[in-house]
Amino acid sequence: MGGLVSAIIGAFSGGHVQPNPVMEELQRRIKEQEAQAHEAHAQQASAEEALRIAQEELQRSEEQMRVAEDAAKAQEEEIRRADEARRTAEDAAKRAEADRYATEEQMQQAAETARRAEEERARAEAEGARAQEEKRKSNKAAEQANQAAAEARAAQEEAQRQLQEGIRPIIIPTMAEFMETRRRLEYQEGLIHFAIAGIAGSGKSSLVNAFRGLRASDEGAAATGTTETTRVVTRYPDPRPDRPFVWYDVPGAGTLSISEWQYFTDQGLYVFDGIIVLFDARFTASDIAILRNCVRFQIPAYIVRSKSDQHIRNLTTDMGGGDDSDSEDLTLKLQARERYTVTFRP
């Protein structure tokens, strides 16, 4: 054993030992392996660094993703809240619209109720007013009926009294008689119709001619005479176009053919716009009957005395007068005229 070791040592110590190719290969391989290991270690370190960086990037990405997710969640929450708020607002708007509609409906119903109440009140007031008016009319009708009854009793008593005293009653024409009389006498709207009435021989025809500006001898003049010449009511339009008058010459009252109490009605004097009662020396019962009927029918009446010039001449003669050409006679005539006017003025 010792010899072997010595031989080995001697072999290597003399410098003649040949390199061992196996060892060299092993060393080369070891170096390569070490280099590879170093390279692998460096690569591993680089990989680990890259991994670390990647992990850090991943962590940052995950953190950013988490932040983004949180932001997304927050945004979704905001959106949800906004949607919830929108739905709440829409619900509130719908409720407000429903409330407004209900309020308007209630207001319309209240207005309709108020209108109906006002109509009912107005109807009630109208009914009350009508009732009061009916009551007033009823009271007035009762008063009128009582008054009419009283007037009827008074008229009956007056008629009985007049019959006892021999006074004739006043006859009231019917509407048919009224219209027929207007037609018969040719009454025309727009004209003024005057009747000249009075006892026979009072000068009615002469007064008609005077009103129309005509003499008895003129064409179209009313016939005149000392006795009653007019037998029927005669119509005489005024010939002057600026005077819308129609004059009627009425037969005299108190003749054998016309009694005084029938005179006003039979001659149709109730249709005239005005009546002139003409008398001569004194008023008669016929004149008074005409005037009473004028009052009864509310017809304007005018009293005219005729033949005044003749009466003045008679007074002048009674006062000692003679020829009108004498100045003294003219003075007497003026005095007679003054006496006549004072004596017979109403």
Side-chain angles (χ1 to χ4, degrees), residues 81-95:
R81 290 178 181 176
D83 290 340
E84 183 68 22
R86 179 182 57 77
R87 286 193 298 270
T88 302
E90 289 178 352
D91 292 340
K94 290 180 180 179
R95 287 194 298 271

Side-chain angles (χ1 to χ4, degrees), residues 97-167:
E97 180 67 17
D99 292 340
R100 184 185 64 80
Y101 178 78
T103 302
E104 290 180 353
E105 184 70 18
Q106 291 175 355
M107 291 177 63
Q108 291 178 356
Q109 292 177 355
E112 180 67 17
T113 302
R115 184 186 64 79
R116 291 178 180 175
E118 180 64 20
E119 289 180 353
E120 290 296 331
R121 184 189 63 78
R123 279 196 293 269
E125 289 182 354
E127 290 294 333
R130 281 195 293 271
Q132 291 180 355
E133 181 65 16
E134 291 297 330
K135 182 179 179 181
R136 186 189 66 79
K137 289 181 179 179
S138 178
N139 293 336
K140 185 176 181 180
E143 292 177 359
Q144 291 176 347
N146 293 333
Q147 183 178 358
E151 291 177 354
R153 287 193 298 270
Q156 182 179 7
E157 293 174 357
E158 179 65 16
Q160 291 176 352
R161 183 187 65 79
Q162 290 180 356
L163 287 175
Q164 292 174 357
E165 295 178 359
I167 301 175

Side-chain angles (χ1 to χ4, degrees), residues 214-231:
L214 300 177
R215 296 179 180 274
S217 59
D218 292 338
E219 183 180 357
T224 60
T226 56
T227 60
E228 183 63 30
T229 56
T230 304
R231 299 301 178 185

Side-chain angles (χ1 to χ4, degrees), residues 14-209:
H16 298 288
V17 179
Q18 294 292 329
N20 189 341
V22 175
M23 290 299 294
E24 290 179 355
E25 181 66 23
L26 288 174
Q27 290 177 355
R28 186 185 62 77
R29 289 183 178 180
I30 290 171
K31 288 180 180 180
E32 288 180 357
Q33 288 178 354
E34 288 178 352
Q36 290 177 355
H38 180 73
E39 180 70 20
H41 181 73
Q43 290 180 353
Q44 182 179 359
S46 177
E48 289 177 354
E49 181 66 18
L51 177 60
R52 184 186 63 78
I53 293 172
Q55 288 177 348
E56 290 178 356
E57 290 294 331
L58 178 61
Q59 289 178 356
R60 283 194 296 271
S61 297
E62 289 177 351
E63 182 66 20
Q64 291 176 354
M65 185 178 295
R66 184 185 61 77
V67 172
E69 288 178 353
D70 292 342
K73 289 180 180 179
Q75 186 175 6
E76 289 178 355
E77 181 65 18
E78 290 295 328
I79 293 173
R80 186 189 65 78
R81 290 178 181 176
D83 290 340
E84 183 68 22
R86 179 182 57 77
R87 286 193 298 270
T88 302
E90 289 178 352
D91 292 340
K94 290 180 180 179
R95 287 194 298 271
E97 180 67 17
D99 292 340
R100 184 185 64 80
Y101 178 78
T103 302
E104 290 180 353
E105 184 70 18
Q106 291 175 355
M107 291 177 63
Q108 291 178 356
Q109 292 177 355
E112 180 67 17
T113 302
R115 184 186 64 79
R116 291 178 180 175
E118 180 64 20
E119 289 180 353
E120 290 296 331
R121 184 189 63 78
R123 279 196 293 269
E125 289 182 354
E127 290 294 333
R130 281 195 293 271
Q132 291 180 355
E133 181 65 16
E134 291 297 330
K135 182 179 179 181
R136 186 189 66 79
K137 289 181 179 179
S138 178
N139 293 336
K140 185 176 181 180
E143 292 177 359
Q144 291 176 347
N146 293 333
Q147 183 178 358
E151 291 177 354
R153 287 193 298 270
Q156 182 179 7
E157 293 174 357
E158 179 65 16
Q160 291 176 352
R161 183 187 65 79
Q162 290 180 356
L163 287 175
Q164 292 174 357
E165 295 178 359
I167 301 175
R168 300 294 183 177
I170 298 174
I171 301 174
I172 304 298
T174 64
M175 179 57 67
E177 292 172 339
F178 183 86
M179 299 305 296
E180 172 59 23
T181 301
R182 283 172 62 113
R183 185 199 63 77
R184 175 172 57 83
L185 297 179
E186 301 180 36
Y187 187 98
Q188 296 181 9
E189 297 293 340
L191 299 178
I192 303 174
H193 305 75
F194 265 94
I196 314 298
I199 63 172
S202 59
K204 296 184 296 298
S205 299
S206 298
L207 185 59
V208 168
N209 291 332

